[in-house]
Amino acid sequence: MSYIRFENIVKNFGTHEVLKNIDLEVEKGQLVTLLGPSGCGKSTLLRCLAGLESVTSGRVYLDGRDITDVNPKDRDIGMVFQQYSLFPNMTVEQNVAFGMKMKKMPKDTIAAKAREMLEIVGLGDKLKHYPSQLSGGQQQRAALARAIVTEPKVLLLDEPLSAIDALLRHSLQIEIRRIQKELDITAIFVTHDQDEAMVMSDVIHLMYKGKIDQSARPTELYTNPSTKFAATFIGHYNVLSAGEFARLTGEHIDSADIAFRPEIIKISDKPVDAGGCYGMKGRIQVSLPHGNILRYAVMCGDIQVDVDVLFSGVVPFETGTDVYMAVPRDACIYL
């Protein structure tokens, strides 16, 4: 039996239906990500599990127990928010110890566990520091230590890294994943950042308009999106309708839409070998650097196709250059 189960969850705010018959399961020890754009319902679903929002209908189960109507404090769930919510008048050690004090654990146990947890999150030398003396990343690690030191059955993380700069965010992603695996914590992570979801997750549940659009392991979701929304949200696929594709290639496909990733396209200012490929022609409208990738926006009439190439050894095409493209047939996804 699954460790966490959402069963036919509906959540309404007035006349607005935010969650629409959500069925979702999480296995013990997994880190599962709820991914999707703002307003898709991912944080609301997380809050329904925590008991911070009541469900309109449906049931929530944790470790075989129906917790739908259980008081939040009795659900044995830890939560880390985007805001660190540390007590400013307490030291890091006192912040981490707070939950254990509320549970009336022995003083020597509290002191030992607080120090042990702060060592695990890399703050063993910050015990006596106050939150104002810590960086944003250190404060978030302290908040994480406080949430897991009481050994909750589930750890919920609601966009905890969105306010942190990109370089530090990447290192914290790796750190949170390491701690989760080391302590074998069952965790649900909420983010709108697909790269973050790919790095951290055992399973990704992609949400769209209050529903689960697709559930899959990260590599499967990236390489085999099953819906048009999944293809446009994950991996920056080019998605064309059958009619658009026929206009560009002269070939007809037996599906509503076709998707292909920018990096699989061969591009040249001379005709390319199109064996096993669909051929297209267009004109470079603009080129934009994305890290070690150069992305071309190629206009094929009134249809834009994005093409990614590595910077290494590439002489960029000038804007206005006519180009030829070949899209491998076996790399296309028919939606």
Side-chain angles (χ1 to χ4, degrees):
M1 181 181 290
S2 56
Y3 193 59
I4 300 168
R5 188 167 91 252
F6 296 94
E7 189 176 276
N8 299 319
I9 299 299
V10 173
K11 175 61 181 177
N12 297 332
F13 289 110
T15 59
H16 180 48
E17 191 176 35
V18 179
L19 299 176
K20 305 172 183 179
N21 290 104
I22 296 286
D23 287 306
L24 187 152
E25 296 184 355
V26 178
E27 299 301 324
K28 187 174 176 60
Q30 284 187 330
L31 191 153
V32 165
T33 295
L34 303 179
L35 173 67
S38 297
C40 69
K42 54 190 186 295
S43 289
T44 300
L45 185 60
L46 199 76
R47 292 172 66 84
C48 287
L49 175 57
L52 302 178
E53 296 286 354
S54 60
V55 300
T56 302
S57 64
R59 312 304 297 175
V60 182
Y61 298 90
L62 172 58
D63 195 16
R65 176 192 179 202
D66 186 342
I67 62 167
T68 311
D69 301 314
V70 172
N71 191 296
K73 69 180 180 63
D74 298 323
R75 296 192 182 201
D76 200 8
I77 290 174
M79 196 158 185
V80 180
F81 299 92
Q82 179 180 337
Q83 299 79 19
Y84 316 127
S85 303
L86 297 173
F87 299 113
N89 60 329
M90 293 184 184
T91 65
V92 170
E93 183 180 21
Q94 289 168 337
N95 266 282
V96 173
F98 182 78
M100 292 184 286
K101 286 185 176 179
M102 292 299 99
K103 290 191 171 186
K104 297 184 173 15
M105 294 172 66
K107 286 186 178 180
D108 56 345
T109 301
I110 291 173
K113 286 180 68 70
R115 285 177 167 79
E116 178 187 8
M117 191 54 61
L118 286 167
E119 287 290 345
I120 289 173
V121 301
L123 293 176
D125 60 342
K126 306 292 183 183
L127 296 173
K128 304 304 178 185
H129 285 59
Y130 287 88
S132 61
Q133 297 173 296
L134 303 180
S135 68
Q138 289 170 334
Q139 289 186 57
Q140 194 58 286
R141 277 187 281 161
L144 177 63
R146 185 179 62 184
I148 60 181
V149 74
T150 56
E151 300 178 13
K153 287 187 172 182
V154 182
L155 176 65
L156 307 181
L157 303 112
D158 192 1
E159 303 207 44
L161 308 180
S162 58
I164 297 173
D165 68 81
L167 188 60
L168 179 57
R169 186 165 67 243
H170 180 66
S171 66
L172 282 173
Q173 289 166 5
I174 297 171
E175 189 72 3
I176 289 173
R177 186 61 162 143
R178 178 189 67 79
I179 293 166
Q180 181 264 333
K181 281 184 168 294
E182 182 178 321
L183 300 179
D184 194 29
I185 299 169
T186 304
I188 301 180
F189 192 95
V190 164
T191 183
H192 60 269
D193 185 328
Q194 58 165 291
D195 293 332
E196 190 165 77
M198 295 290 288
V199 167
M200 298 190 67
S201 313
D202 291 307
V203 176
I204 297 173
H205 298 284
L206 179 62
M207 295 187 66
Y208 182 53
K209 293 184 177 179
K211 295 182 177 181
I212 303 295
D213 191 76
Q214 184 175 351
S215 297
R217 294 190 175 277
T219 52
E220 181 185 349
L221 188 61
Y222 182 81
T223 57
N224 194 29
S226 61
T227 68
K228 184 175 182 178
F229 172 72
T232 54
F233 196 83
I234 298 290
H236 194 81
Y237 278 80
N238 292 292
V239 181
L240 304 178
S241 69
E244 290 172 330
F245 191 72
R247 283 166 52 195
L248 265 59
T249 65
E251 300 196 43
H252 296 276
I253 55 172
D254 188 23
S255 66
D257 300 288
I258 187 170
F260 49 93
R261 298 195 303 274
E263 69 268 22
I264 59 96
I265 303 172
K266 304 171 187 175
I267 184 170
S268 175
D269 56 359
K270 299 179 179 61
V272 296
D273 179 12
C277 297
Y278 296 111
M280 303 178 185
K281 290 176 63 177
R283 178 169 292 177
I284 302 290
Q285 183 182 49
V286 67
S287 60
L288 298 170
H290 288 261
N292 64 336
I293 296 293
L294 187 64
R295 175 165 294 163
Y296 293 110
V298 182
M299 294 307 298
C300 306
D302 60 347
I303 300 170
Q304 179 176 315
V305 175
D306 290 337
V307 182
D308 287 350
V309 297
L310 286 171
F311 263 126
S312 177
V314 170
V315 178
F317 294 121
E318 298 290 337
T319 299
T321 302
D322 290 324
V323 292
Y324 298 83
M325 295 172 288
V327 182
R329 293 171 186 264
D330 60 5
C332 292
I333 298 172
Y334 303 91
L335 302 172

